[in-house]
Amino acid sequence: MDKKELRKHLLTQRQNLSRDDRAPLDAAILARLTELPEVQAAQTILLYLDFRGEVESDGMIEYCLTHGKTPVAPVTFKEERKMIPVRITSLADLREGAYGIREPLHLPELEVSIEQIDLVILPGVGFDRKGGRLGYGGGYYDRFLPKLRPEVPKIAVAYEMQVVESVPLEPHDTLLDALVTEKGVWRRTSPA
Ligand SMILES: Nc1ncnc2c1ncn2[C@@H]1O[C@H](COP(=O)(O)OP(=O)(O)O)[C@@H](O)[C@H]1O
Ligand SMILES: [Mg+2]
C-alpha cells in the first residue's frame, strides 16, 4: 500500500473506535507515557490537541499542568505550512484553528522558542515499531522536527490498531525515538 491508501485504511479503522472503546486505551497510554524517564525529565513538552479520533491528549496536558511542567501545542499556519509552538496555560483557553484542530491562543507572550522544547509527543495516522510515522499528508512535523535541539526525544502515541509492520517512508520523513501504545513502549534501535 502506498502512503495515501494506508492513510485512508487506517483512518477508517480508527474512526470505528467508539468513545467507550477508546477510554481505557487512552488511560493505559497516558499511564505508560507519564512513567517514561523522558517525560519525567522534561520541563517544556510539545504536545498536541487531539482531533479525528487521535489518542486523547487532554489528560497529558492536565498532567503537565499539575506537575509543574510547561505544556506547549502547535499553532498551525496553513499558507506557510508551518507550526509555531505556543504555551497552553489552561485547557479552557483554546480556540479552533486550521483544519478544525484546537490550538492555544496565539498571544506573543505565550510563544515558546523551539530551542526551549525538551520533548515532543506527537500523534499521527500510522506508525511502525522502527520509528516510522505516517501523518495526514501535510508534512508539518517533518518540517518542524529537524529544527529541535538534536537530543530532544520524539515520542509518538497511538492505538495498537494504528501500528503496521512498515510505514512507507520518504527521505524527508523524520524518524521517531519511541512509540507508546496501550500495549507497551517500543524504542527505535536503528540510528536516525
Ligand atoms: N523537510 C521538508 N522540507 C520540505 N518539504 C517537506 C519536508 N517534509 C515534508 N515535506 C513535504 O510535505 C509533503 C507531505 O509529507 P508526508 O511525509 O507525505 O506527509 P505526512 O508526514 O504528513 O504523512 C511531502 O510530499 C513534501 O513535499
Ligand atoms: Mg511524513
Side-chain angles (χ1 to χ4, degrees):
M1 261 195 256
D2 68 12
K3 277 191 176 180
K4 217 171 153 186
E5 287 167 343
L6 184 61
R7 232 175 238 130
K8 207 171 142 192
H9 168 75
L10 289 172
L11 281 173
T12 308
Q13 215 169 270
R14 194 176 69 185
Q15 270 149 7
N16 288 337
L17 270 181
S18 73
R19 192 175 278 268
D20 287 350
D21 293 334
R22 265 169 222 289
L25 308 183
D26 291 333
I29 292 167
L30 179 62
R32 291 192 191 282
L33 186 68
T34 52
E35 276 174 10
L36 292 181
E38 290 93 333
V39 173
Q40 309 258 326
Q43 173 58 45
T44 302
I45 306 181
L46 179 73
L47 290 143
Y48 64 95
L49 291 152
D50 65 87
F51 94 130
R52 289 181 74 183
E54 289 167 347
V55 174
E56 197 246 5
S57 59
D58 287 24
M60 305 176 200
I61 292 158
E62 281 297 350
Y63 170 87
C64 290
L65 291 170
T66 54
H67 288 75
K69 300 187 186 289
T70 308
V72 171
V75 166
T76 301
F77 294 87
K78 224 171 164 174
E79 311 72 41
E80 298 153 87
R81 299 241 135 189
K82 190 178 165 182
M83 306 194 299
I84 286 183
V86 177
R87 197 170 157 188
I88 303 173
T89 49
S90 153
L91 278 171
D93 287 338
L94 304 174
R95 49 164 237 133
E96 198 176 293
Y99 304 102
I101 306 173
R102 292 176 298 157
E103 60 185 33
L105 304 178
H106 188 204
L107 305 175
E109 65 271 26
L110 296 181
E111 242 184 66
V112 168
S113 69
I114 295 182
E115 307 82 73
Q116 269 180 277
I117 297 171
D118 300 316
L119 169 67
V120 179
I121 308 294
L122 62 165
V125 176
F127 298 92
D128 61 36
R129 299 192 211 275
K130 303 174 282 191
R133 171 183 180 270
L134 180 71
Y136 292 92
Y140 282 93
Y141 277 104
D142 291 319
R143 276 184 298 270
F144 180 84
L145 298 174
K147 296 192 254 177
L148 294 162
R149 300 195 322 266
E151 74 275 18
V152 170
K154 300 175 272 291
I155 302 180
V157 288
Y159 301 121
E160 198 62 33
M161 63 147 55
Q162 295 176 259
V163 183
V164 297
E165 177 64 36
S166 281
V167 161
L169 291 178
E170 296 172 85
H172 66 257
D173 283 311
T174 303
L175 287 181
L176 309 179
D177 298 294
L179 170 68
V180 179
T181 77
E182 69 274 18
K183 293 252 165 71
V185 178
W186 284 265
R187 289 175 186 281
R188 181 170 49 77
T189 48
S190 64

